[in-house]
């Protein structure tokens, strides 16, 4: 019996605001516990939440990037449960009326670039507050409320993913888009992007989803991939042995590489959601939404296509360049500065990335080589003012110390010699100085010509135009 | 009259009350007539009526993303029934 | 000169005397403290008196006056319901669960009173977490009605009303979720004003039902109520439900108050069986006086009045069940851990022994109406009926400028007479909860005393949201007639 997999992700993304969701406390990166908290964070009697407009804006921008319908009427709701990480013993979230509805993320079938395009549907996106951090010690547990109230956006995907690899591509695309939009850093190490995943198996041929198992709160893509693979194998074995999957929440243990039943009363929970009376509803006007739409950057997908059509560069190049906004911006700026598009793409993806890699430098932090200087270098190459090898050396030099290629070429007379007379002079010297190869050439050993060209380059200190050199040599040797 | 649909034991679990059987019975006895009374709302036909969940029909009151001072930690922890130098302390939570 | 007789001293006349220099704020405050010492034993209004802090505040107020400052509340001591956070003071809400809690911040209304130079002189008793109508649900002490010591002062702001009526406070602040300012004012013979929802900040005011709670004054007369409202009203960045509406000059609105040509509505649903005949008679008499003074009185109907109590006890308890979840023994207040030393036992025991029976009863009801399977049948249904109650008033106010009616179906009742029949107690809120459900402003002013026992009876005046100037003008005009 063969089984098909359905995976759905609920991804919590920390929004890039200055302050918390419902109070003016600084978004804490503080390691000293309980130093970014106030009466609201602590749920003191009489404390009231105050919704942060920036967080609403960032969620709406995300929704627009992901093709969601932006709700005209959104409400906050209280989700009731007792746990020390929620100071009020209810979490302010959104239930009946979230900010964004629908939408989707484009991936490839199988999670591989060669796969057919596939759209993973989103159910909705809502805004909520993060919980506090609980630390466990030998004899007691301690709570640090610094993180309590951090704005989170929960992106609820449909169970459209068919494999762990598709889940990976989904998360990478999602991350790419959100970082692009500037709504989050999606820093996995800092837990900026955490996912609850649910997995279910169904026999091939059946459309009805199987019993789903949820694995909660994972923050690394690798962990999610491994957990999914383990869970799919576990469920497959279970089903093939004629067993049944129990609906439950499991915990992923990365060290052991296994999921474990959490045995919590997850299903016994009765959250008693109801409208949050301390916060007024958010009724977004067309004008407001359009104003925020205007702030959106171009989506990577769209940029890929535009690069191909506008600059006539191959799909692969367009993909590589569009994948990182700084790289894409550098490329466009270079072309805008007059560089021919194809060479610009090649040089950026080739030599420039190599140099950046060697210096382990991010292109966003690159100050020496500018789009302008790269453009003028590429123009010199195009005009055959300098030859390839010289250009490479120049790029390396500019990468080191910066500077303007035109100036350097002038000042050092690096321009290649394309004057036929001058090249012929070098050719003659080469012939006179190397009777043996000359004889061999005349005897029919064509390869010897390359040696002589090399000699011409040497004599011209690399400045001779190699093509002219070969022509001049051939002519002179023919004359005999 | 008493209404059995309100199961005091179940609701106590949600509300974190640990009541004696006598107290349970008393609340069950007292809440019965109250539930029976509020059942009068079922007389009304409410089709097409929107709920009113807010004190006034107003929307879009939001805060600018501006940093305000937090409390100093000594003040934060002063009211704690039990605390370390840096954290609120409670019995060890077994997961 | 110490020993100022404050038993019937109003805020306005005290301020005049302070301005004239007849006495200082320190002397006035000392006289209040002396009166408390002398009389509160028999009343039981105050839970804590901050003599030191009050006198220090008075000295500061006197200094501000010498420095040329002049404000209506400068140097005036005000009693505070035990529900407000006052920095450095306890805030128990008359509950054991808040034992040991010391407020690290000022409620916005407290901060505004301080800015005006008023002095929070002590914390007065209330029903635990404002849940009740007799102040008998205080975990700490009985508060007696100064007019009839064998009777309740009403509630939940019973201490606030008793202190003013008992001559041990010039004025006080209370809160009103379903009548908790107006009803005790009626029982004790004071003026009690519930502002429109969204008129006064709730920040720092321990929440009972967030969509219904409002802070308001209990005072000796309408002018004092206007003076206190002036100080506390207006938008607050700390409370997004406190609306950004202009704050008119309420005291100025009282000038030349008249009923001439005013359209007064009398809702027939408020004059039904079960209301004490003496109460009915006194309220009717007041309405006749209004008519005689030139008001055009007409009978109106608020058809959904009979459902208001059911709506209120679903909505208020649902919100309360979440609002009171934070009292769990983890961050502040009472903590009790069971023998197994578990977090579960910490929650269960701290809450079970920290809350009194009335609070537990309401949390249980509120938890239930939100629980899965009952949300639509109870909570959501109640929200829709709330819409109908609101519409009743919108329709009524399209025809009339104000509504006159009783505050409560009875005068102050005997201590211990209702605590054993919660439903009976809830039904007594029938005339006050509709104003909270609809966000209206309302006031209770004395309209006479019962013939047999001389118990105070209040007249309730209701106006549309944010029409406090109209409300106060009418109240002032009626006050002069009664």
């Amino acid at each position: 019996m063969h089984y098909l997999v359905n995976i759905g992700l609920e991804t919590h993304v920390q929004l890039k605001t200055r302050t918390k969701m419902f109070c003016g406390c600084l978004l804490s990166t503080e390691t000293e516990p309980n130093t970014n908290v106030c009466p609201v964070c602590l749920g003191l009697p009489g404390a009231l939440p105050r919704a942060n407009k920036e967080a609403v804006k960032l969620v709406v921008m995300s929704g627009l990037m992901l093709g969601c319908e932006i709700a005209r009427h959104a409400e906050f709701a209280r989700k009731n449960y007792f746990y020390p990480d929620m100071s009020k013993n209810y979490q302010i979230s959104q239930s009946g009326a979230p900010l964004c509805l629908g939408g989707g993320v484009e991936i490839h079938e199988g999670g591989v670039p060669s796969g057919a395009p596939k759209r993973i549907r989103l159910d909705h996106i809502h805004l909520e507050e993060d919980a506090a951090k609980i630390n466990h010690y030998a004899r007691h547990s301690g709570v640090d409320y610094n993180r309590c109230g951090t704005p989170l956006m929960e992106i609820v995907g449909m169970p459209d993913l068919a494999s762990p690899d598709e889940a990976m591509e989904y998360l990478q695309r999602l991350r790419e888009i959100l970082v692009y939009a500037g709504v989050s850093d999606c820093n996995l190490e800092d837990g900026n992007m955490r996912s609850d995943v649910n997995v279910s198996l169904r026999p091939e041929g059946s459309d009805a989803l199987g019993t789903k198992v949820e694995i909660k709160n994972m923050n690394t893509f690798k962990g999610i991939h491994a957990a999914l693979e383990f869970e799919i194998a576990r469920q497959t074995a279970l089903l093939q042995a004629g067993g049944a999957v129990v609906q439950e929440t499991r915990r992923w243990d990365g060290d052991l590489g296994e999921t474990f039943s959490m045995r919590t009363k997850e299903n016994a929970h009765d959250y008693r959601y109801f409208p949050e009376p301390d916060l007024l509803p958010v009724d977004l006007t067309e004008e407001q939404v359009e104003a925020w739409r205007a702030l959106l950057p171009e989506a990577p997908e769209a940029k890929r296509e535009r690069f191909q059509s506008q600059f006539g560069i191959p799909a692969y190049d367009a993909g590589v360049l569009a994948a990182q906004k700084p790289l894409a911006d550098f490329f466009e700026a270079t072309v805008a500065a007059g560089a021919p598009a194809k060479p610009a793409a090649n040089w950026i993806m080739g030599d420039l990335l190599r140099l950046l890699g060697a210096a382990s430098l991010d292109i966003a932090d690159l100050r020496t080589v500018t789009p302008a200087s790269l453009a003028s270098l590429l123009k010199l190459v195009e005009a055959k003012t300098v030859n390839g090898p010289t250009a490479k050396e120049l790029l390396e030099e500019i990468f080191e110390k910066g500077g303007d290629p035109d100036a350097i070429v002038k000042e050092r007379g690096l321009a290649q010699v394309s004057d036929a007379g001058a090249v012929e002079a070098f050719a003659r010297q080469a012939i006179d100085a190397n009777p043996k190869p000359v004889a061999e050439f005349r005897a029919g050993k064509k390869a010897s010509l390359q040696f002589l060209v090399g000699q011409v380059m040497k004599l011209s200190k690399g400045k001779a135009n190699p093509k002219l050199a070969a022509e001049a040599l051939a002519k002179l040797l023919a004359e005999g | 009259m008493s209404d059995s649909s309100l199961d005091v034991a179940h609701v106590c679990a949600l509300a974190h009350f640990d009541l004696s059987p006598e107290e349970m019975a008393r609340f069950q006895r007292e809440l019965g007539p109250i539930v029976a009374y509020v059942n009068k709302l079922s007389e009304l036909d409410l089709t097409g009526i929107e709920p009113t969940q807010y004190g006034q029909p107003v929307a879009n009151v939001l805060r600018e993303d501006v940093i305000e001072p937090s409390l100093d930690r000594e003040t934060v922890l002063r009211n704690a029934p039990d605390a370390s130098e840096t954290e609120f302390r409670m019995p060890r939570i077994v997961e | 000169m110490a020993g100022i007789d404050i038993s019937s001293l109003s805020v306005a006349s005290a301020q005049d005397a302070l301005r004239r220099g007849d006495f200082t704020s320190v002397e006035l405050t000392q006289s209040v403290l002396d009166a408390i010492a002398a009389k509160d034993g028999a009343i039981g209004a105050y839970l804590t008196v901050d003599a030191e802090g009050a006198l220090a505040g008075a000295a500061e107020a006197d200094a501000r006056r010498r420095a040329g400052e002049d404000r209506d509340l400068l140097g005036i001591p005000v009693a505070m319901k035990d529900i407000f956070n006052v920095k450095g003071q306890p805030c128990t809400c008359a509950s054991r669960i808040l034992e040991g809690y010391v407020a690290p911040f000022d409620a916005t209304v407290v901060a505004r009173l301080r800015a005006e130079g008023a002095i929070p002189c002590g914390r007065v008793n209330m029903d635990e977490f404002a849940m009740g109508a007799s102040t008998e649900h205080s975990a700490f002490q009985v508060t007696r009605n100064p007019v009839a010591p064998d009777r309740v002062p009403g509630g939940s702001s019973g201490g606030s009303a008793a202190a003013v009526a008992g001559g041990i406070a010039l004025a006080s602040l209370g809160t009103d979720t379903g009548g908790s300012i107006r009803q005790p004012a009626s029982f004790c013979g004071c003026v009690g004003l519930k502002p429109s929802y969204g008129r006064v900040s709730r920040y720092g005011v321990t929440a009972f039902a967030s969509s219904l709670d409002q802070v308001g004054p209990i005072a000796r007369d309408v002018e004092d109520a206007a003076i206190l409202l002036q100080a506390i009203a207006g938008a607050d960045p700390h409370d997004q439900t406190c609306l950004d509406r202009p704050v008119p000059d309420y005291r100025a609105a009282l000038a030349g108050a008249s009923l001439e040509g005013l359209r007064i509505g009398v809702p027939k649903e408020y004059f039904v069986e079960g209301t004490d005949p003496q109460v009915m008679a006194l309220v009717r008499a007041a309405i006749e006086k209004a008519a005689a003074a030139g008001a055009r009185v007409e009978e109106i109907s608020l058809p959904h009045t009979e459902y208001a109590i059911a709506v209120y006890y679903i909505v208020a308890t649902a919100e309360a069940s979440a609002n009171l979840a934070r009292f769990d023994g983890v961050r502040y207040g009472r903590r009790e851990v069971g023998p197994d030393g578990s977090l579960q036992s910490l929650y269960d025991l701290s809450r079970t022994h920290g809350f009194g029976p009335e609070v537990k009863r309401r949390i249980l009801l509120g938890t239930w109406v939100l629980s899965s399977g009952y949300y639509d049948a109870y909570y959501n249904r109640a929200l829709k009926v709330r819409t109908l109650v609101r519409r009743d008033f919108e329709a009524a106010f399209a025809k009339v400028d104000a509504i006159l009616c009783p505050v409560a179906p009875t005068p102050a009742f005997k201590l211990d007479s209702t605590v054993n029949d919660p439903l009976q107690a809830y039904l007594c809120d029938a005339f006050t909860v509709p104003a909270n459900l609809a966000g209206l402003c309302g006031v209770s002013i004395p309209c006479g005393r019962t013939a047999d026992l001389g118990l105070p009876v209040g007249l309730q005046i209701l106006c549309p949201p944010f029409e406090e100037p109209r409300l106060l003008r009418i109240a002032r005009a009626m006050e002069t007639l009664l």
Side-chain angles (χ1 to χ4, degrees):
Chain A
M1 185 57 163
H2 186 250
Y3 294 96
L4 299 177
V5 179
N6 285 87
I7 300 168
L9 271 64
E10 295 181 2
T11 307
H12 294 82
V13 176
Q14 180 177 327
L15 295 168
K16 215 169 163 180
T17 55
R18 262 189 231 90
T19 64
K20 292 186 179 182
M21 185 60 232
F22 298 116
C23 70
C25 285
L26 178 70
L27 260 205
S28 188
T29 51
E30 185 52 71
T31 47
E32 267 304 305
N34 293 302
T35 47
N36 291 128
V37 300
C38 70
V40 178
C41 310
L42 292 171
L44 296 187
L48 294 172
R50 298 133 55 206
N52 184 339
K53 184 176 187 178
E54 183 69 10
V56 172
K57 173 183 134 191
L58 295 178
V59 171
V60 169
M61 284 173 68
S62 308
L64 293 170
M65 290 289 283
L66 294 166
C68 302
E69 177 199 335
I70 306 306
R72 286 293 173 265
H73 177 81
E75 291 176 2
F76 292 99
R78 293 182 181 180
K79 179 184 183 181
N80 297 282
Y81 65 92
F82 278 76
Y83 206 66
D85 65 2
M86 267 302 158
S87 54
K88 308 177 292 302
N89 286 319
Y90 59 79
Q91 177 191 33
I92 303 178
S93 181
Q94 296 188 288
S95 166
L99 276 164
C100 308
L101 301 157
V105 176
E106 306 299 332
I107 66 162
H108 299 85
E109 238 157 13
V112 291
S114 55
K118 178 176 178 181
R119 179 178 178 78
I120 307 305
R121 296 164 302 156
L122 301 181
D123 182 80
H124 73 272
I125 306 178
H126 71 257
L127 189 52
E128 63 184 31
E129 57 178 334
D130 203 350
K133 190 159 172 295
I134 301 184
N135 299 309
H136 302 289
Y137 308 102
R139 252 176 264 82
H140 65 273
S141 295
V143 203
D144 166 11
Y145 288 98
N146 279 351
R147 197 180 68 197
C148 191
T150 297
L152 294 180
M153 152 173 79
E154 180 169 344
I155 301 169
V156 180
M158 304 274 231
D160 291 347
L161 296 158
S163 71
D165 290 346
E166 288 192 0
M168 287 307 96
E169 191 186 1
Y170 169 84
L171 284 169
Q172 278 149 1
R173 286 271 168 277
L174 197 57
R175 183 185 189 189
E176 192 175 276
I177 292 167
L178 298 175
V179 171
Y180 242 85
V183 300
S184 174
D185 293 331
C186 292
N187 189 327
L188 304 182
E189 295 68 37
D190 303 352
N192 283 179
M193 193 176 182
R194 313 193 292 264
S195 295
D196 301 341
V197 307
N198 57 71
V199 199
S200 67
L201 268 55
R202 63 190 153 96
E204 191 152 27
S206 119
D207 297 339
L209 294 184
T211 312
K212 80 174 176 187
V213 167
E214 194 172 14
I215 311 168
K216 277 208 171 294
N217 209 10
M218 306 201 288
N219 58 6
T220 74
F221 289 7
K222 262 184 43 239
I224 291 169
H225 192 273
L228 283 170
E229 284 194 315
F230 175 89
E231 189 56 27
I232 290 163
R234 187 187 70 88
Q235 291 186 28
T236 310
L238 205 58
L239 293 169
Q240 266 156 358
V245 175
V246 221
Q247 172 154 5
E248 60 176 347
T249 300
R250 299 177 69 89
R251 181 178 56 80
W252 169 247
D253 183 321
D255 307 331
L256 295 175
E258 292 179 42
T259 62
F260 294 93
S261 181
M262 279 173 73
R263 309 230 175 287
T264 55
K265 302 198 210 70
E266 275 297 325
N267 306 341
H269 268 150
D270 180 349
Y271 290 123
R272 288 160 286 137
Y273 281 97
F274 75 102
E276 165 58 278
D278 285 331
L279 294 169
L280 297 167
V282 179
D283 292 350
L284 294 171
T285 62
E286 195 61 43
E287 298 64 40
Q288 178 64 89
V289 174
E290 287 316 307
W292 286 340
R293 188 193 300 279
L295 303 174
L296 292 179
E298 178 180 32
E301 209 49 57
K303 205 185 276 289
R304 269 185 207 95
E305 283 153 25
R306 183 169 60 81
F307 279 9
Q308 291 176 60
S309 55
Q310 183 179 341
F311 302 119
I313 58 174
Y316 175 78
D317 298 15
V320 174
L321 292 170
Q324 293 178 52
K325 194 162 185 299
L327 194 61
D329 294 346
F330 194 96
F331 168 72
E332 282 204 83
T334 306
V335 176
K342 269 208 184 70
N346 295 336
W347 280 76
I348 290 170
M349 289 161 58
D351 297 86
L352 189 56
L353 284 186
R354 179 175 51 76
L355 290 167
L356 285 163
S360 61
L361 190 68
D362 191 303
I363 188 149
D365 310 323
L366 179 59
R367 296 286 169 273
T368 51
V369 180
T370 65
S373 61
L374 180 59
S376 47
L377 178 62
L378 296 181
K379 276 185 277 182
L380 290 170
V381 176
E382 194 190 28
K384 300 205 169 50
T385 313
V386 298
N387 56 33
T390 313
K392 277 194 192 315
E393 288 164 20
L394 271 171
L395 180 63
E396 279 161 23
E397 180 177 348
I398 302 168
F399 187 85
E400 281 310 312
K401 318 194 208 60
D404 168 23
D406 295 307
I408 297 170
V409 168
K410 283 198 183 58
E411 141 198 346
R412 304 211 201 123
L414 290 178
Q416 69 181 343
V417 179
S418 301
D419 157 8
V423 176
E424 197 172 320
F426 286 123
R428 228 179 229 100
Q429 284 184 45
I431 290 168
D432 300 346
N434 301 283
K436 193 157 168 290
V438 170
E440 287 168 359
F441 177 80
R442 292 213 167 102
K445 188 168 175 221
K446 298 275 168 270
S448 302
L449 185 66
Q450 275 322 303
F451 170 80
L452 293 167
V453 171
Q455 296 307 304
V456 172
M457 297 308 287
K458 209 189 220 153
L459 291 163
S460 69
K461 300 200 179 55
K463 291 192 281 176
N465 178 327
K467 198 159 149 294
L468 289 179
E471 284 163 15
L473 284 162
K475 174 164 153 286
L476 292 169
L477 290 164
E479 289 166 359
Chain B
M1 76 157 262
S2 156
D3 187 305
S4 59
S5 62
L6 194 166
D7 171 5
V8 170
H10 169 66
V11 181
C12 278
L14 292 173
H16 281 282
F17 294 152
D18 176 18
L19 301 180
S20 70
E22 297 70 31
E23 293 170 301
M24 290 254 198
R26 183 174 140 235
F27 280 117
Q28 193 76 59
R29 205 167 52 244
E30 289 171 346
L31 287 167
I34 294 169
V35 171
Y37 177 81
V38 299
N39 277 333
K40 79 197 267 84
L41 296 186
S42 58
E43 296 165 6
L44 292 163
D45 172 11
L46 300 172
T47 43
I49 307 292
E50 285 299 309
T52 293
Q53 57 260 61
Y54 303 102
Q56 295 291 0
V58 180
N60 300 333
V61 180
L62 298 164
R63 162 180 79 84
E64 293 306 319
D65 189 22
V66 177
I67 298 164
E68 293 163 26
S70 302
L71 294 170
D72 64 277
R73 186 159 65 192
E74 196 229 334
T75 309
V76 168
L77 297 173
R78 190 179 298 131
N79 277 307
D82 186 10
S84 68
E85 290 297 292
T86 59
E87 292 177 331
F88 291 85
R89 207 185 288 179
M90 72 194 79
R92 191 171 196 292
I93 301 168
V94 278
E95 306 237 320
Chain C
M1 52 155 273
I4 305 153
D5 176 12
I6 65 148
S7 56
S8 61
L9 185 65
S10 75
V11 168
S13 47
Q15 187 55 255
D16 293 341
L18 285 165
R19 287 187 172 117
R20 285 194 304 268
D22 296 358
F23 49 72
T24 65
S25 174
V26 169
E27 290 168 327
L28 174 63
T29 305
Q30 187 57 58
S31 307
V32 171
L33 295 171
D34 294 345
I36 295 169
K39 300 185 188 170
D40 196 40
I43 301 171
Y46 284 85
L47 289 173
T48 56
V49 177
D50 178 21
E52 205 176 303
L55 289 169
E60 189 196 330
D62 286 330
R64 281 167 70 173
R65 187 181 303 280
R66 282 194 301 276
E69 205 172 326
D70 180 18
R71 299 171 178 278
D72 287 349
L73 287 173
L74 184 59
I76 304 289
V78 177
M80 307 296 290
K81 189 178 184 177
D82 197 31
I83 201 168
F84 300 105
N85 279 271
V86 179
K87 192 171 182 175
Q89 290 186 14
C91 175
T92 69
C93 298
S95 178
R96 301 218 172 278
I97 206 158
L98 272 166
E99 272 168 4
Y101 171 74
V102 176
F105 69 111
D106 271 340
T108 297
V109 289
V110 172
R112 289 185 177 169
L113 284 182
R114 288 193 202 275
E116 291 300 310
I119 301 150
C121 62
R123 312 187 60 85
V124 287
N125 203 16
M126 58 188 280
D127 286 297
E128 184 176 8
F129 285 105
M131 296 177 178
S134 67
T135 311
E136 293 169 288
H137 297 298
S138 165
F140 300 125
Q141 69 193 37
V142 172
T143 299
R144 298 173 176 280
N145 189 316
V147 181
D150 62 333
R151 294 178 179 261
V152 303
S156 67
S157 310
S160 305
V164 172
I168 50 178
L170 275 65
S172 63
L173 282 194
T175 59
D176 190 314
T177 305
S180 287
I181 286 174
R182 290 159 290 160
Q183 183 257 21
S186 170
F187 280 18
C188 295
C190 316
V191 171
L193 171 66
K194 180 203 102 65
S196 314
Y197 185 87
R199 178 73 292 184
V200 178
S201 169
R202 296 182 296 114
Y203 182 69
V205 184
T206 311
F208 164 10
S210 309
S211 76
L212 302 165
D213 296 346
Q214 271 297 290
V215 177
I218 292 181
R220 296 219 164 108
D221 59 34
V222 173
E223 184 179 26
D224 283 6
I227 291 170
L228 280 151
L229 178 62
Q230 196 76 56
I232 61 175
D236 175 17
H238 288 280
D239 176 3
Q240 294 186 335
T241 67
C242 182
L243 305 184
D244 188 6
R245 299 281 204 91
V247 179
D249 185 333
Y250 297 115
R251 201 178 182 183
L254 304 178
S258 137
L259 299 171
E260 193 60 51
L262 220 84
R263 297 165 306 165
I264 298 290
V266 178
K268 60 171 191 281
E269 293 81 3
Y270 284 59
F271 295 82
V272 289
E273 275 308 295
T275 302
D276 179 302
Q278 294 191 76
V279 169
M280 199 103 78
L282 284 162
V283 172
R284 287 217 180 275
I287 293 167
E288 277 153 28
K289 286 205 182 84
R296 289 192 272 119
V297 177
E298 62 182 276
E299 185 182 79
I300 60 166
S301 173
L302 300 165
H304 297 92
T305 301
E306 64 169 306
Y307 300 101
I309 288 291
V311 172
Y312 174 79
Y313 277 93
I314 290 170
V315 171
T317 59
E319 292 182 13
S321 72
N323 283 333
L324 274 63
R326 67 188 60 193
F327 303 107
D328 62 2
V330 171
R331 291 161 307 283
Y332 48 84
R334 179 198 183 99
R335 174 184 291 194
E336 199 175 326
V337 184
D340 69 353
S342 68
L343 174 67
Q344 175 76 21
S345 74
L346 185 160
Y347 284 153
D348 290 351
L349 296 182
S350 303
R351 288 171 61 79
T352 303
H353 299 145
F355 290 131
E358 180 59 27
V359 172
K360 284 203 199 79
R361 187 180 298 120
R362 297 199 194 194
I363 289 175
L364 289 172
L365 182 60
T367 304
W368 178 70
V369 297
L370 291 173
S371 64
S372 81
Y374 300 101
Y375 181 94
D376 289 320
Y378 290 91
Y379 181 70
N380 203 38
R381 184 156 264 275
L383 294 184
K384 289 177 177 177
V385 181
R386 183 177 182 180
T387 302
L388 298 177
V389 171
R390 196 180 275 256
R391 286 185 190 170
D392 283 357
F393 282 104
E394 283 163 5
F397 285 123
K399 301 209 298 288
V400 300
D401 301 310
I403 292 170
L404 264 52
C405 58
V407 176
T410 68
F413 43 83
K414 280 207 156 61
L415 286 157
D416 302 322
S417 59
T418 61
V419 280
N420 298 320
D421 187 348
L423 179 56
Q424 255 351 85
Y426 295 176
L427 295 174
C428 294
D429 301 341
F431 303 153
T432 45
V433 298
N436 301 80
L437 294 174
L440 313 177
C441 54
V443 64
S444 170
I445 62 168
C447 71
R449 297 196 168 200
T450 58
D452 52 0
L453 299 164
L455 300 173
V457 170
L459 167 72
Q460 179 169 227
I461 309 170
L462 299 174
C463 281
F466 293 91
E467 293 295 342
E468 277 84 0
R470 186 198 306 172
L471 179 76
L472 288 163
R473 201 158 48 243
I474 296 168
R476 175 52 171 272
M478 291 302 298
E479 184 178 49
T480 54
L481 293 178
L482 298 167

